[in-house]
């Protein structure tokens, strides 16, 4: 939360495309791709330059009292892939 508030995590473009959803009991896993263009002052822009980045992501949710809650996330940049 601190990094979002400070602008270290900021994207000018953010597009997420879910490709697969698996639900088993009270756990759901969503996998897919993201296209982001990092903000100029963001950590990603410092690391990779201010250019379009393609990422793969996995989000994990858990159902608590009938509501889905975000539990965990992983995303990584896929080097050398053009934006869709």
């Amino acid at each position: 939360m601190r990094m979002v508030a400070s602008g270290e995590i900021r994207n000018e473009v953010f597009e997420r495309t879910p490709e697969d959803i698996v639900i088993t009991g009270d756990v759901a896993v969503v996998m897919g791709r993201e296209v982001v263009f990092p903000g100029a002052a963001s950590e990603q822009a410092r690391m990779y330059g201010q250019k379009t980045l393609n990422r793969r992501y996995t989000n994990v949710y858990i159902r608590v009292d009938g509501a889905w809650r975000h539990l965990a996330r992983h995303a990584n940049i896929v080097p050398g892939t053009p934006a869709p």
Side-chain angles (χ1 to χ4, degrees):
M1 299 302 279
R2 177 191 57 77
M3 292 176 77
V4 172
S6 71
E8 290 176 73
I9 296 177
R10 187 173 83 78
N11 295 304
E12 293 181 14
V13 173
F14 181 90
E15 298 172 7
R16 178 178 294 154
T17 304
E19 295 174 341
D20 198 12
I21 300 171
V22 177
I23 300 173
T24 181
D26 290 331
V27 175
V29 179
V30 181
M31 298 159 281
R33 61 186 161 89
E34 297 171 337
V35 177
V36 298
F37 190 87
S42 72
E43 181 65 23
Q44 283 191 359
R46 284 192 291 277
M47 290 177 65
Y48 302 104
Q50 198 173 17
K51 62 182 180 182
T52 300
L53 302 172
N54 295 288
R55 299 192 298 209
R56 298 293 305 164
Y57 78 90
T58 302
N59 288 333
V60 181
Y61 299 87
I62 187 167
R63 189 169 27 212
V64 178
D65 298 327
W68 289 104
R69 307 283 185 198
H70 188 258
L71 179 66
R73 171 179 167 78
H74 173 77
N76 64 289
I77 294 172
V78 180
T81 57

